[in-house]
Amino acid sequence: MLVLKNCRLIPQLTEGFDETKADLVIDGKYISEILPAGSANYESAEVIDAQGMTLLPGFFDLHAHLMFKDQDYNASMMRGQNEYLVDCMEYAGVYLKHGYTTIRDCGNDFYAGIAVKDAVNRGIVKGTHIITSGKIISPVAKGNESFGSLYWETDSPDDMLHIVRSEVAKGVDFIKYMVTGAVLNEGGVPGELITTEEEIRAVTSAAEKLGTYVAAHCHGTEGIKLAVKNGIRTIEHASYVDDECVELMLKRNDLIATVPTYSIAYTLYKELYEGGVLPEFVEKSRAACASMAKSVAMCEEAGVLVGWGTDLDRQMFERFPGLEFVARNEMGQPNLQSLKEATINSARIVCEDHLRGTVKKGKYADLVLIDGNPDEDMTVMKNLPKYVFKEGSMAAAN
Ligand SMILES: [Zn+2]
């Protein structure tokens, strides 16, 4: 048994307890009690005094890629399968250190995501809770070939059932599909539609038949509309949302959400890359960030579910702790909204909100203790969390 004494709580991220200071009791994997501060009295329990710290639910990165080691994507693609897998395992551990107790991997080769997930679940590797896709399914498109066998290209809706069945048979949790061009693909145009309505319908209906869903890489307005109309569950990046996109999303009577990812565009426009950034990229990415912020604000205001993604490689992720929080804050997002998107909203998107996503008695003790008050000052997120717990175990003490 473990007691976190004198924790500061954020009411919007806490359920079933009204005070803002508490002693939190962890028993096994779960939060067993939330008691008024100073009242927990367990003789044999281990105690951590969390005075001055804010207790948050563990964070979710719904758009992660364990395979991205650094910004040298070409060298990354030259790795052998074993090295690739070990790198992915390492990143799964790094996530924990930064307070991310759940990630959703949106595309990896060699089914590495499944292997790392299994290793974590078996307790062989210490890492974050993983929800994973396999290969990225895509129409034939410029730049895909530079990622080796990461992409599973097809231009045939008839093939979709076979491809989705193959992926599900391997053990993936969901399907990743490319609806528009990607920023990082050489020659790819981010906003450009690269698929057809028929193809999207084919992949989403194949996934539905097998009890899973499709996450779509989707920057541009036209692509977002087509994705929303044809059964995509999560719109990844969602850079250029307009009023009609929002209306279409509100009309859907099943789960639909956007998963914006500010970090990459932010690092480009802030010129945080070691090798420097071309001036045209600085301007382009500043505009992309601003547009994403506008899109998120529109969705939030209308009541569309918005989640949390980073899309970051491990090197950048480690160099700049809290980057996605800092980026969204600088682009004008209110602190509390960011904290909700990184926790409860994202838990809802992956249908795990009954297990995680808030501080609540009976839920998994996936918890983060932050020095300071991130709801009032987001710069405290630039420091690593003081403590991270995953399913009741201490996962990091920084
Ligand atoms: Zn991605």
Side-chain angles (χ1 to χ4, degrees), residues 63 65 68 106 176 217 237 311:
H63 195 110
H65 291 284
F68 286 141
C106 281
K176 171 77 180 294
H217 171 99
H237 314 299
D311 214 3

Side-chain angles (χ1 to χ4, degrees), residues 280-299:
E280 58 166 289
F281 265 115
V282 176
E283 257 327 296
K284 261 191 199 169
S285 43
R286 188 198 309 276
C289 243
S291 172
M292 203 175 269
K294 191 171 155 242
S295 299
V296 170
M298 284 169 75
C299 288

Side-chain angles (χ1 to χ4, degrees), residues 237-284:
H237 314 299
S239 307
Y240 303 97
V241 169
D242 69 4
D243 288 328
E244 199 191 333
C245 293
V246 172
E247 259 172 55
L248 288 168
M249 286 192 261
L250 291 174
K251 268 191 206 152
R252 279 267 298 263
N253 46 20
D254 57 346
L255 183 54
I256 182 155
T258 67
V259 180
T261 54
Y262 287 53
S263 291
I264 301 266
Y266 181 80
T267 51
L268 285 169
Y269 108 69
K270 298 298 265 191
E271 300 184 62
L272 301 177
Y273 278 74
E274 265 171 352
V277 180
L278 289 171
E280 58 166 289
F281 265 115
V282 176
E283 257 327 296
K284 261 191 199 169

